[in-house]
Amino acid sequence: MIEHNDQNNQLPKELKSVFRELEIVKHLRKASITKKFGFTTSYLFQLVFCLIFHHKSWFTLLNSKKGDRYPAKDSVYRFLNHSKFAWRRFLTYLSVHAIQKVEQLTDTKRPKVFIIDDSMFDRNRSKKVELFARCMDHSSLTKRFYKGFRMLTLGWSDGFTFMPLDFTLLSSKKAQINGISENIDKRSSGYKRRVEALESAPTVIPGMLERALQAGVSADYVLLDTWFTQQPLIQSIVELGLDVIGMVKATNQRYLVNNKKLSLKELYKVAAPVSGKKGIMRSIQITMANGVQVKVVFIQNRNKKSEWLAILSTDCTLSEQEIVRIYGMRWDIEVFFKTTKSLLRLQKEFQGMSYDLLISHTTIVFSRYIVLSWQNRCHNDQRILGGIFYELCDEVNELDWAVALQQLIELLEDALKKTNKTIQKIIKSQLQQWIDGLPNYIKAYLSISVCEV
């Protein structure tokens, strides 16, 4: 773990190189996440960042035998509860830096997309959490309600690597259980995010996209789920210069065909059949009620083949297959939600009543995902993110045995020097065969080869 008596050598080798490459400490300073005295914010950030890779919570770490080597509980909680830290700015700097590196490895002809979706941020056992509300889980078949927030997330993907760019923990004005704390400074970043939490998702989304574009992130399309593919939001996104591809559900929305307003079901009947394209049933190019030209593709529902699904695109030049293929990239954000909740302990690792703590810890979890995504892209192999997560855990936990293994090799080499040449040759040969048979990740720790002696 990271010890306070050596703040300049805090991270294991694998994580240290990524922190340096992604310039994480520099981004913390640029976002004004600094302190005038006490433990540095970079030290506290790295301490919280590494907890998950050690399979330890902050509580179990403080109660361990080495608990006196680390900051007191209040030091970390003051860091996480600070309302003036610009965590959104930090996440933007970090993700943009990582995306720029990824784009160097991506074909310029490959489409890049923004993906927007929301997910449950569950705090059912809480009573006094600031701003939490009664929310409906629209992904549940039973339409159950839960206490907490809706985590509205903006991400970027090139079809291979997903990077989270921005998020908002949305509360509700109508179903709000607790309000904004009266002690918060209204000039702070924390207060601005609290006010934003009371806005609706369609109101917040254009601002998220605009910030991403101003930061220098480029994308060809914005991918939306059925809950967000609504005409007012589509028009707002198109006005930003971006095209939208989203799944549409049968609602009261109307589409103009030959000066007639048709529902989605009526639109399916008048759409032209598409032959020779598996899974694609019909398509039609029409105008929405707000005047935006769109192309609607009807595809077969895999789960219920007697039904169809509709995908809308504001880029009418795309073929039906290309619209379906690009929309498939939206699955990246579902993998992201699953990974952060199952592996990276989103909403579980720290429990607090402050909205600032929720924002800061969620940002750190997103930073972990960015590190894993970058590592995955660098290795350019078939390992899933979960596999890389456990490999990083092994990297952190097995540093002690790695040092011991290196020392053992050095002891054997010293012993060989005291024997005659015949025995040296036999033992060296056997030892070299043993080293050659080791997995690559173990060989990486052995900086000295037996043949070099």
Side-chain angles (χ1 to χ4, degrees):
M1 285 297 297
I2 301 172
E3 301 181 10
H4 71 272
N5 58 1
D6 191 6
Q7 295 190 30
N8 294 321
N9 188 22
Q10 301 169 2
L11 294 167
K13 180 176 64 177
E14 186 80 9
L15 290 176
K16 187 185 295 183
S17 62
V18 181
F19 265 62
R20 189 184 305 111
E21 192 170 12
L22 296 181
E23 300 180 359
I24 292 179
V25 175
K26 176 184 175 181
H27 298 320
L28 284 169
R29 292 196 301 268
K30 285 178 64 179
S32 300
I33 302 178
T34 57
K35 290 173 61 181
K36 293 182 179 179
F37 55 87
F39 294 102
T40 64
T41 53
S42 61
Y43 166 69
L44 295 173
F45 177 90
Q46 292 172 20
L47 179 62
V48 176
F49 184 96
C50 288
L51 282 176
I52 188 67
F53 300 113
H54 293 270
H55 301 290
K56 289 184 179 181
S57 67
W58 183 233
F59 175 80
T60 55
L61 178 64
L62 289 181
N63 286 278
S64 65
K65 294 180 180 179
K66 298 181 179 180
D68 57 346
R69 301 182 183 180
Y70 308 108
K73 173 184 174 182
D74 291 345
S75 298
V76 170
Y77 274 91
R78 278 196 300 268
F79 168 69
L80 295 175
N81 283 316
H82 205 296
S83 63
K84 295 184 180 180
F85 288 162
W87 287 107
R88 168 170 281 156
R89 200 185 310 163
F90 163 74
L91 182 61
T92 300
Y93 288 148
L94 176 59
S95 54
V96 169
H97 186 81
I99 289 170
Q100 289 172 349
K101 287 183 169 292
V102 169
E103 285 184 322
Q104 296 174 3
L105 309 175
T106 306
D107 189 342
T108 54
K109 297 180 181 179
R110 190 182 185 94
K112 305 172 187 66
V113 298
F114 289 128
I115 308 174
I116 296 172
D117 201 0
D118 64 348
S119 182
M120 289 174 53
F121 195 94
D122 194 340
R123 292 299 297 266
N124 272 320
R125 298 179 62 185
S126 303
K127 293 182 179 180
K128 298 183 180 181
V129 174
E130 186 180 5
L131 274 178
F132 85 140
R134 190 169 180 263
C135 307
M136 187 184 75
D137 179 13
H138 57 72
S139 63
S140 172
L141 296 176
T142 58
K143 304 296 181 184
R144 74 180 184 91
F145 285 84
Y146 65 94
K147 290 190 295 183
F149 305 88
R150 290 171 57 205
M151 187 175 69
L152 181 66
T153 304
L154 169 66
W156 177 94
S157 175
D158 63 353
F160 187 84
T161 301
F162 177 86
M163 294 288 181
L165 272 166
D166 200 355
F167 72 93
T168 300
L169 297 180
L170 293 176
S171 181
S172 171
K173 290 181 180 179
K174 296 181 180 179
Q176 186 181 122
I177 298 174
N178 294 327
I180 299 176
S181 171
E182 296 179 356
N183 300 323
I184 186 71
D185 186 350
K186 294 184 178 180
R187 300 168 297 177
S188 65
S189 299
Y191 181 77
K192 293 175 183 177
R193 297 201 74 158
R194 286 165 168 82
V195 173
E196 182 187 61
L198 298 175
E199 300 290 339
S200 63
T203 305
V204 174
I205 288 172
M208 297 174 77
L209 289 169
E210 194 170 359
R211 283 192 296 269
L213 292 172
Q214 289 175 352
V217 183
S218 61
D220 303 300
Y221 305 100
V222 179
L223 306 186
L224 303 175
D225 196 6
T226 54
W227 294 96
F228 301 106
T229 313
Q230 307 296 330
Q231 293 188 18
L233 180 57
I234 291 173
Q235 187 170 17
S236 299
I237 295 174
V238 170
E239 289 173 355
L240 292 174
L242 296 166
D243 282 305
V244 174
I245 299 178
M247 188 166 286
V248 190
K249 61 180 179 179
T251 60
N252 293 328
Q253 289 188 124
R254 291 295 182 264
Y255 306 88
L256 296 177
V257 180
N258 298 327
N259 296 323
K260 293 181 180 179
K261 292 184 178 181
L262 302 180
S263 66
L264 191 63
K265 291 182 179 179
E266 293 170 335
L267 195 64
Y268 173 78
K269 295 178 182 179
V270 300
V274 177
S275 59
K277 298 175 183 177
K278 187 177 180 181
I280 300 177
M281 303 169 70
R282 298 169 182 253
S283 72
I284 188 172
Q285 187 170 327
I286 47 94
T287 304
M288 294 194 299
N290 57 11
V292 178
Q293 294 280 335
V294 296
K295 186 174 185 178
V296 180
V297 180
F298 296 91
I299 61 174
Q300 191 175 49
N301 188 344
R302 290 182 179 179
N303 298 324
K304 199 171 183 181
K305 294 187 177 181
S306 61
E307 297 181 355
W308 47 263
L309 302 172
I311 301 176
L312 173 151
S313 171
T314 59
D315 185 355
C316 300
T317 63
L318 293 175
S319 65
E320 289 83 0
Q321 300 102 310
E322 191 69 4
I323 290 173
V324 175
R325 187 189 70 81
I326 293 174
Y327 184 75
M329 294 166 67
R330 201 198 69 81
W331 187 250
D332 288 352
I333 200 168
E334 302 293 349
V335 175
F336 166 74
F337 288 144
K338 182 66 176 178
T339 302
T340 52
K341 292 180 180 180
S342 300
L343 294 176
L344 306 183
R345 294 189 62 81
L346 178 67
Q347 76 192 18
K348 299 175 184 176
E349 193 170 37
F350 282 88
Q351 300 295 321
M353 295 183 291
S354 166
Y355 188 77
D356 294 309
L357 184 142
L358 303 179
I359 293 295
S360 59
H361 183 254
T362 302
T363 303
I364 293 174
V365 171
F366 280 27
S367 302
R368 291 170 179 165
Y369 190 92
I370 291 172
V371 167
L372 293 174
S373 292
W374 175 239
Q375 285 290 87
N376 183 50
R377 192 58 179 261
C378 288
H379 284 74
N380 195 24
D381 59 18
Q382 300 301 316
R383 294 177 302 172
I384 59 171
L385 283 172
I388 294 180
F389 165 74
Y390 288 116
E391 185 173 304
L392 280 176
C393 292
D394 293 339
E395 170 72 29
V396 173
N397 290 329
E398 294 172 0
L399 283 176
D400 292 338
W401 70 255
V403 174
L405 185 59
Q406 182 65 49
Q407 291 176 349
L408 176 61
I409 297 296
E410 291 173 357
L411 286 173
L412 288 172
E413 291 171 348
D414 290 338
L416 281 175
K417 294 176 181 178
K418 299 178 182 179
T419 60
N420 59 56
K421 293 183 179 180
T422 304
I423 296 176
Q424 282 185 26
K425 187 175 181 181
I426 295 173
I427 295 179
K428 282 183 180 180
S429 175
Q430 294 293 324
L431 190 56
Q432 187 64 53
Q433 289 179 16
W434 175 72
I435 291 176
D436 291 341
L438 292 174
N440 289 331
Y441 73 92
I442 293 181
K443 288 181 183 178
Y445 293 109
L446 304 178
S447 57
I448 300 175
S449 172
V450 178
C451 296
E452 296 175 0
V453 180

